[in-house]
Amino acid sequence: MGVKGLHFHDLRHTGNTLAAQSGASLADLKARMGHDSDRIALIYRHDTRDADRKIADG
């Protein structure tokens, strides 16, 4: 990629996090990643949960 310190996994994580934030289901995330595990897909929903908590807390 030519960007020092940037790795493929960084882009994968960002893409899946953005997909989760836009409303992708666990099934959608698992299909994008090629994983069968809900636990792995839930990792990418962390930012969405944090945002939901901030909104709820006001």
Side-chain angles (χ1 to χ4, degrees):
M1 290 182 283
V3 179
K4 188 174 182 165
L6 183 65
H7 303 94
F8 173 77
H9 187 266
D10 299 330
L11 298 175
R12 177 180 168 94
H13 183 80
T14 300
N16 286 312
T17 299
L18 291 172
Q21 288 174 340
S22 72
S25 68
L26 286 180
D28 294 334
L29 292 172
K30 290 187 320 187
R32 287 173 53 93
M33 295 182 291
H35 285 288
D36 292 328
S37 169
D38 286 349
R39 186 181 69 80
I40 298 297
L42 285 169
I43 290 169
Y44 296 97
R45 296 192 49 98
H46 66 87
D47 290 335
T48 303
R49 281 194 314 259
D50 291 344
D52 289 344
R53 181 167 292 132
K54 286 178 186 175
I55 291 167
D57 291 344

